[in-house]
Amino acid sequence: MQTKIPCVMMRGGTSKGTYFIASDLPKDEKLLEEILLSVMGSPDVRQIDGLGGADPLTSKVAIIQASEREGVDLDYLFVQVFVDEARTSTSQNCGNILAGVGPFAIESGLVKPNDPETTLTIYLENSDSIADVTFLTPGSVVKYDGEARIDGVPGTASPVMISFRDTEGSTCGSLLPTGNFVDTIDGVDVTCIDNGMPVVLFEATAMNRTGYESRDDLNADVELKNWIEEIRLNIGRKMNLGDVKNKTVPKMTMVSPPQMGGAICTRSFIPHDCHAAIGVFAAVSVGTAIALPGTVAHRVGVIPSGTTKLVSVEHPTGEISVKLNIDETEGKTKVKKADILRTTRRLFEGQVLVPYGVWNGKTKPRAAV
Ligand code: NQM
């Protein structure tokens, strides 16, 4: 006996996950965690008994509902499902999975589309912040095919433009949560920054690496990963994140001078595995750090000119360009708005099944069979 839950699987940017309507899931947090672990097949490095793709970037969940907030269309909760541990986390945002939220909501009947494009204001529950997302809906139908290209995804698709507002200190409370541009931990200079994602930046050369290593090489580099984790555990409390041992934040980003004509080269640990690219919010935080004199990123980055800066953040599979709208009055640099291009695709729709032993569907009759 299994409970059927309406579910859609979507690629959002360079990630992939399952999308649910909030009312199709129980509210109880412990039960919800059990259900999402079962949906993804965790804990198991292969996630063989679930839909997860055996990678943190494909073990993600979006829970969405129409919003009752003033001026907001949708509420979006992101859940990271650990691959090899029986845990989920809501301690971070996901800007990649966000790309699929609007199209999912329209096709689920949660909001109405416009013609030829739709802009939705989305509340990010994880960080209490707002994003405006615009995508094509000609004839009031979501368009998935198109000419937009993002690195890390083969081919092209329809553009999804995401505009973030007020992301400063989303999780840590302030842009520079330690109060410093640079802290020195275990002899390594780091910059702690949160402009949508708590990130710790450090130079690759400080870790005796080039910063241009492949994802596979870095994932096999146990000595480096242990060193990075030591720094992370040490700095977490100073970033107002408490004990970060079981958290997916802060992300640990190794930086070096750009190699492909961009603004900076990155290798992002999220926080233990190296990202195939870089998270969307992490890219906004890194881009912001380049613009701030005194940070580790400013030391190795190439700062584009103007108050609207197009910052190209290089990563293992290409680059991601972040458009930053910067206010530099009174000698202070403030990012007013950050825009980013993503694409998305609806991959699968139907019902995901979880064993009765996990959830017999009783707290939500509609989904039960
Ligand atoms: O930073 C991976 C991803 C992410 C998160 C991660 C993300 C973001 O690429 O906004 O998108 O950092 O865990 O999906």
Side-chain angles (χ1 to χ4, degrees):
M1 295 286 274
Q2 303 201 76
T3 298
K4 294 180 181 175
I5 312 170
C7 173
V8 171
M9 194 157 215
M10 299 189 73
R11 173 183 65 77
T14 51
S15 284
K16 187 159 61 181
T18 49
Y19 289 62
F20 295 95
I21 297 176
S23 59
D24 287 332
L25 292 168
K27 289 201 170 16
D28 181 84
E29 282 178 21
K30 190 68 206 135
L31 179 57
L32 181 61
E33 179 166 72
E34 292 300 328
I35 292 169
L36 297 182
L37 288 167
S38 169
V39 164
M40 286 298 173
S42 295
D44 172 29
V45 282
R46 293 192 304 145
Q47 292 186 318
I48 194 68
D49 202 28
L51 300 181
D55 186 308
L57 301 175
T58 54
S59 185
K60 298 182 169 236
V61 174
I63 302 178
I64 298 150
Q65 58 190 324
S67 185
E68 290 178 358
R69 288 162 211 276
E70 180 86 29
V72 175
D73 298 299
L74 295 168
D75 291 348
Y76 152 54
L77 176 70
F78 168 68
V79 187
Q80 178 73 52
V81 180
F82 285 73
V83 173
D84 54 354
E85 292 174 59
R87 285 195 295 125
T88 62
S89 171
T90 54
S91 65
Q92 70 164 86
N93 269 321
C94 182
N96 275 304
I97 289 296
L98 171 61
V101 169
F104 168 82
I106 285 177
E107 292 176 336
S108 305
L110 293 178
V111 283
K112 294 229 172 320
N114 293 322
D115 182 9
E117 64 175 37
T118 302
T119 298
L120 296 174
T121 299
I122 301 177
Y123 176 70
L124 314 178
E125 292 185 40
N126 305 74
S127 58
D128 186 23
S129 53
I130 294 284
D132 299 299
V133 182
T134 303
F135 49 100
L136 299 178
T137 47
S140 300
V141 174
V142 177
K143 180 171 158 54
Y144 287 105
D145 60 321
E147 299 307 314
R149 182 184 301 280
I150 59 171
D151 284 339
V153 179
T156 61
S158 185
V160 178
M161 286 307 307
I162 305 182
S163 191
F164 297 111
R165 302 186 222 161
D166 298 328
T167 43
E168 272 198 21
S170 64
T171 309
C172 302
S174 60
L175 183 66
L176 298 172
T178 66
N180 304 318
F181 288 94
V182 170
D183 294 272
T184 305
I185 305 290
D186 301 340
V188 177
D189 279 0
V190 301
T191 291
C192 303
I193 188 160
D194 172 8
N195 201 9
M197 182 68 76
V199 177
V200 178
L201 301 162
F202 46 92
E203 287 184 65
T205 49
M207 310 298 282
N208 307 321
R209 305 296 189 279
T210 65
Y212 309 118
E213 293 84 359
S214 70
R215 182 194 195 200
D216 286 347
D217 284 352
L218 291 171
N219 278 336
D221 191 341
V222 176
E223 185 201 350
L224 175 69
K225 286 168 76 169
N226 287 344
W227 191 0
I228 290 175
E229 182 63 357
E230 222 174 274
I231 297 174
R232 197 179 79 89
L233 295 179
N234 200 325
I235 199 78
R237 284 185 202 284
K238 299 189 180 84
M239 294 177 77
N240 303 322
L241 294 169
D243 181 1
V244 297
K245 191 168 187 317
N246 289 327
K247 293 191 177 158
T248 59
V249 289
K251 309 293 176 186
M252 303 298 288
T253 301
M254 192 157 84
V255 294
S256 49
Q259 233 191 353
M260 304 182 299
I264 199 162
C265 179
T266 62
R267 295 291 184 266
S268 242
F269 294 80
I270 58 169
H272 305 124
D273 291 334
C274 179
H275 201 305
I278 185 169
V280 167
F281 282 101
V284 173
S285 293
V286 171
T288 306
I290 302 173
L292 292 178
T295 68
V296 163
H298 192 86
R299 289 182 195 166
V300 296
V302 176
I303 306 112
S305 59
T307 49
T308 299
K309 297 183 195 297
L310 192 63
V311 183
S312 166
V313 178
E314 299 176 2
H315 56 66
T317 47
E319 68 87 47
I320 179 169
S321 287
V322 188
K323 191 164 118 196
L324 299 176
N325 201 257
I326 290 185
D327 182 3
E328 277 174 335
T329 45
E330 294 164 18
K332 283 190 97 180
T333 305
K334 187 174 165 55
V335 174
K336 289 193 298 188
K337 201 161 81 76
D339 297 325
I340 212 147
L341 167 72
R342 297 284 79 191
T343 63
T344 186
R345 195 161 80 83
R346 189 173 175 100
L347 302 172
F348 164 85
E349 58 190 22
Q351 293 167 318
V352 64
L353 284 78
V354 297
Y356 258 26
V358 174
W359 184 38
N360 64 10
K362 279 201 176 123
T363 51
K364 178 65 192 62
R366 187 179 139 199
V369 288

